[in-house]
Amino acid sequence: LVANHANHLDALVLGAVLPLRLRDQLFPLAAGDVFFETPVLSAFSATVLNALPVWRKHCGPHALKDLRKRLTEDPTVFILFPEGARSRDGKMMEFKPGIGMMTAETDVPIIPCYLHGTFEAFKPMTFVPRLTKVAVHIGKPRVFKDVRNRRQGWEEIAATLKSDICALAPGHVRQAEEPSQS
Protein backbone atom coordinates (compact mmCIF):
# COMPACT_ATOMS: atom_id res chain seq x y z
CA LEU A 1 0.00 0.00 0.00
CA VAL A 2 1.41 3.39 -0.96
CA ALA A 3 -0.15 6.71 0.02
CA ASN A 4 0.35 10.40 0.60
CA HIS A 5 1.83 11.18 4.01
CA ALA A 6 0.67 13.89 6.41
CA ASN A 7 1.34 12.52 9.91
CA HIS A 8 2.02 9.56 12.18
CA LEU A 9 -1.64 8.47 12.06
CA ASP A 10 -1.40 7.58 8.37
CA ALA A 11 0.01 4.07 8.83
CA LEU A 12 -2.64 3.28 11.44
CA VAL A 13 -5.41 4.52 9.14
CA LEU A 14 -4.13 2.41 6.23
CA GLY A 15 -3.69 -0.65 8.44
CA ALA A 16 -7.25 -0.30 9.68
CA VAL A 17 -8.73 -0.82 6.20
CA LEU A 18 -7.08 -4.21 5.76
CA PRO A 19 -8.85 -7.45 6.64
CA LEU A 20 -7.79 -8.93 9.98
CA ARG A 21 -6.38 -12.02 8.24
CA LEU A 22 -3.61 -9.84 6.75
CA ARG A 23 -2.56 -8.10 9.96
CA ASP A 24 0.29 -10.55 10.71
CA GLN A 25 1.72 -9.88 7.26
CA LEU A 26 1.45 -6.09 7.58
CA PHE A 27 4.61 -4.05 8.07
CA PRO A 28 4.59 -0.25 8.01
CA LEU A 29 7.97 1.00 6.84
CA ALA A 30 8.93 3.61 9.42
CA ALA A 31 11.69 6.21 9.56
CA GLY A 32 14.43 4.63 11.65
CA ASP A 33 15.62 8.03 12.90
CA VAL A 34 12.13 8.71 14.32
CA PHE A 35 10.54 5.40 15.33
CA PHE A 36 13.69 3.52 16.30
CA GLU A 37 15.68 6.32 17.94
CA THR A 38 15.53 4.99 21.52
CA PRO A 39 15.21 1.46 22.92
CA VAL A 40 11.72 2.17 24.31
CA LEU A 41 10.47 3.66 21.05
CA SER A 42 12.07 0.81 19.09
CA ALA A 43 10.30 -1.78 21.23
CA PHE A 44 6.96 0.01 20.81
CA SER A 45 7.38 0.44 17.04
CA ALA A 46 8.44 -3.15 16.42
CA THR A 47 6.03 -4.82 18.85
CA VAL A 48 2.86 -2.73 18.73
CA LEU A 49 3.06 -1.30 15.20
CA ASN A 50 4.96 -4.22 13.63
CA ALA A 51 7.04 -1.53 11.90
CA LEU A 52 10.26 -2.12 10.00
CA PRO A 53 12.92 0.60 10.18
CA VAL A 54 14.08 2.39 7.06
CA TRP A 55 17.09 4.57 7.74
CA ARG A 56 16.87 7.74 5.68
CA LYS A 57 20.51 8.74 6.14
CA HIS A 58 23.48 6.46 5.60
CA CYS A 59 21.26 3.78 4.11
CA GLY A 60 22.90 1.59 1.55
CA PRO A 61 21.17 -0.06 -1.40
CA HIS A 62 21.26 -3.37 0.48
CA ALA A 63 18.39 -2.19 2.72
CA LEU A 64 16.01 -1.73 -0.21
CA LYS A 65 17.22 -4.99 -1.73
CA ASP A 66 16.34 -6.76 1.52
CA LEU A 67 12.85 -5.21 1.50
CA ARG A 68 12.44 -6.18 -2.17
CA LYS A 69 13.44 -9.75 -1.39
CA ARG A 70 10.93 -9.90 1.44
CA LEU A 71 8.14 -8.58 -0.82
CA THR A 72 8.84 -11.12 -3.54
CA GLU A 73 9.50 -14.18 -1.37
CA ASP A 74 7.21 -13.86 1.66
CA PRO A 75 3.50 -13.12 2.07
CA THR A 76 4.04 -9.48 3.00
CA VAL A 77 2.08 -6.23 2.95
CA PHE A 78 4.13 -3.06 3.32
CA ILE A 79 2.71 0.35 4.10
CA LEU A 80 4.96 2.83 2.38
CA PHE A 81 4.95 6.59 1.96
CA PRO A 82 7.05 7.34 -1.14
CA GLU A 83 7.41 11.03 -0.25
CA GLY A 84 9.93 9.93 2.36
CA ALA A 85 8.68 12.45 4.93
CA ARG A 86 5.47 13.93 6.30
CA SER A 87 3.95 16.93 4.55
CA ARG A 88 4.24 20.14 6.56
CA ASP A 89 1.49 21.98 4.64
CA GLY A 90 -0.85 19.19 3.54
CA LYS A 91 0.43 19.24 -0.06
CA MET A 92 1.93 16.13 -1.57
CA MET A 93 5.69 16.21 -2.11
CA GLU A 94 7.70 14.50 -4.84
CA PHE A 95 7.98 10.73 -4.58
CA LYS A 96 11.38 9.15 -4.03
CA PRO A 97 12.49 6.35 -6.40
CA GLY A 98 12.84 3.79 -3.57
CA ILE A 99 9.39 2.37 -4.32
CA GLY A 100 10.64 1.61 -7.82
CA MET A 101 13.80 -0.03 -6.50
CA MET A 102 11.64 -2.44 -4.53
CA THR A 103 9.10 -3.24 -7.24
CA ALA A 104 10.53 -2.84 -10.76
CA GLU A 105 10.56 -6.12 -12.73
CA THR A 106 8.43 -7.87 -10.09
CA ASP A 107 4.84 -9.06 -10.07
CA VAL A 108 4.20 -7.45 -6.67
CA PRO A 109 0.90 -5.55 -6.77
CA ILE A 110 1.14 -1.98 -5.50
CA ILE A 111 -2.09 -0.40 -4.34
CA PRO A 112 -2.23 3.41 -4.49
CA CYS A 113 -4.25 5.06 -1.72
CA TYR A 114 -5.15 8.66 -0.99
CA LEU A 115 -5.60 9.62 2.65
CA HIS A 116 -8.07 12.47 3.01
CA GLY A 117 -8.39 14.38 6.28
CA THR A 118 -5.38 13.03 8.15
CA PHE A 119 -3.52 16.35 7.82
CA GLU A 120 -6.43 18.17 9.46
CA ALA A 121 -6.72 15.48 12.11
CA PHE A 122 -3.13 15.81 13.33
CA LYS A 123 -1.32 18.88 12.00
CA PRO A 124 2.41 19.35 12.47
CA MET A 125 3.46 20.72 15.86
CA THR A 126 0.27 19.53 17.56
CA PHE A 127 0.34 16.91 20.27
CA VAL A 128 -3.25 15.70 20.36
CA PRO A 129 -5.21 14.59 17.28
CA ARG A 130 -8.50 16.35 16.49
CA LEU A 131 -11.71 14.48 15.87
CA THR A 132 -12.45 14.88 12.19
CA LYS A 133 -13.54 12.74 9.27
CA VAL A 134 -10.81 10.72 7.63
CA ALA A 135 -11.27 8.77 4.40
CA VAL A 136 -9.12 6.30 2.50
CA HIS A 137 -9.54 6.29 -1.27
CA ILE A 138 -8.16 3.06 -2.73
CA GLY A 139 -7.05 2.75 -6.33
CA LYS A 140 -6.52 -0.19 -8.63
CA PRO A 141 -3.41 -2.31 -8.05
CA ARG A 142 -0.44 -1.70 -10.31
CA VAL A 143 2.25 -4.19 -11.28
CA PHE A 144 5.55 -3.00 -12.74
CA LYS A 145 6.86 -6.29 -14.08
CA ASP A 146 7.77 -4.73 -17.44
CA VAL A 147 9.53 -1.68 -16.00
CA ARG A 148 13.32 -1.99 -15.99
CA ASN A 149 15.03 -2.22 -12.63
CA ARG A 150 17.20 0.84 -13.29
CA ARG A 151 17.07 4.49 -12.19
CA GLN A 152 14.82 5.57 -15.10
CA GLY A 153 12.38 2.73 -14.30
CA TRP A 154 12.39 3.57 -10.59
CA GLU A 155 11.58 7.20 -11.34
CA GLU A 156 8.85 6.13 -13.79
CA ILE A 157 7.24 3.98 -11.08
CA ALA A 158 7.40 6.81 -8.53
CA ALA A 159 5.84 9.29 -11.00
CA THR A 160 3.11 6.84 -12.03
CA LEU A 161 2.14 6.11 -8.44
CA LYS A 162 2.12 9.80 -7.53
CA SER A 163 -0.19 10.45 -10.47
CA ASP A 164 -2.46 7.55 -9.41
CA ILE A 165 -2.65 8.86 -5.85
CA CYS A 166 -3.34 12.45 -6.96
CA ALA A 167 -6.15 11.15 -9.17
CA LEU A 168 -7.79 9.58 -6.09
CA ALA A 169 -7.98 12.91 -4.25
CA PRO A 170 -11.53 14.25 -3.80
CA GLY A 171 -12.27 17.00 -6.27
CA HIS A 172 -9.52 15.92 -8.63
CA VAL A 173 -10.47 16.65 -12.21
CA ARG A 174 -8.36 15.32 -15.04
CA GLN A 175 -7.32 17.93 -17.59
CA ALA A 176 -9.27 16.27 -20.40
CA GLU A 177 -12.50 16.42 -18.39
CA GLU A 178 -12.32 20.13 -17.53
CA PRO A 179 -14.84 22.32 -19.36
CA SER A 180 -13.22 24.44 -22.04
CA GLN A 181 -12.87 28.18 -21.46
CA SER A 182 -14.35 30.41 -24.17
Side-chain angles (χ1 to χ4, degrees):
L1 301 174
V2 295
N4 55 308
H5 193 26
N7 61 54
H8 296 308
L9 296 176
D10 293 341
L12 298 172
V13 170
L14 276 175
V17 301
L18 289 175
L20 285 174
R21 64 181 167 76
L22 295 177
R23 296 291 163 86
D24 289 341
Q25 300 165 5
L26 176 65
F27 300 93
L29 300 184
D33 56 311
V34 175
F35 289 93
F36 293 84
E37 193 171 41
T38 67
V40 171
L41 198 50
S42 293
F44 174 81
S45 299
T47 307
V48 176
L49 302 177
N50 209 29
L52 296 175
V54 176
W55 303 97
R56 296 185 284 192
K57 295 182 186 253
H58 312 295
C59 177
H62 67 280
L64 289 177
K65 286 180 184 177
D66 290 347
L67 291 170
R68 176 186 173 97
K69 183 177 179 183
R70 191 172 193 164
L71 267 179
T72 58
E73 294 179 5
D74 298 331
T76 303
V77 178
F78 286 160
I79 291 177
L80 179 74
F81 303 104
E83 294 163 277
R86 292 169 286 140
S87 172
R88 294 305 190 193
D89 60 5
K91 295 178 184 165
M92 203 177 320
M93 299 178 289
E94 287 305 309
F95 281 20
K96 309 271 188 217
I99 184 65
M101 294 174 79
M102 286 191 288
T103 60
E105 294 182 357
T106 72
D107 58 359
V108 173
I110 304 169
I111 301 172
C113 304
Y114 182 81
L115 301 173
H116 181 71
T118 60
F119 180 78
E120 292 75 18
F122 201 20
K123 290 187 177 184
M125 306 309 293
T126 59
F127 300 101
V128 178
R130 285 182 20 176
L131 282 178
T132 187
K133 285 187 178 184
V134 172
V136 179
H137 302 269
I138 301 172
K140 294 181 181 182
R142 287 260 192 188
V143 174
F144 295 100
K145 189 174 190 167
D146 297 327
V147 177
R148 294 217 28 174
N149 191 16
R150 298 279 180 255
R151 169 138 323 257
Q152 184 177 0
W154 306 335
E155 291 172 354
E156 177 187 332
I157 291 169
T160 298
L161 291 170
K162 182 176 182 185
S163 177
D164 287 353
I165 291 169
C166 286
L168 295 169
H172 173 79
V173 178
R174 290 191 173 92
Q175 292 288 6
E177 297 172 354
E178 291 180 358
S180 61
Q181 300 286 334
S182 328

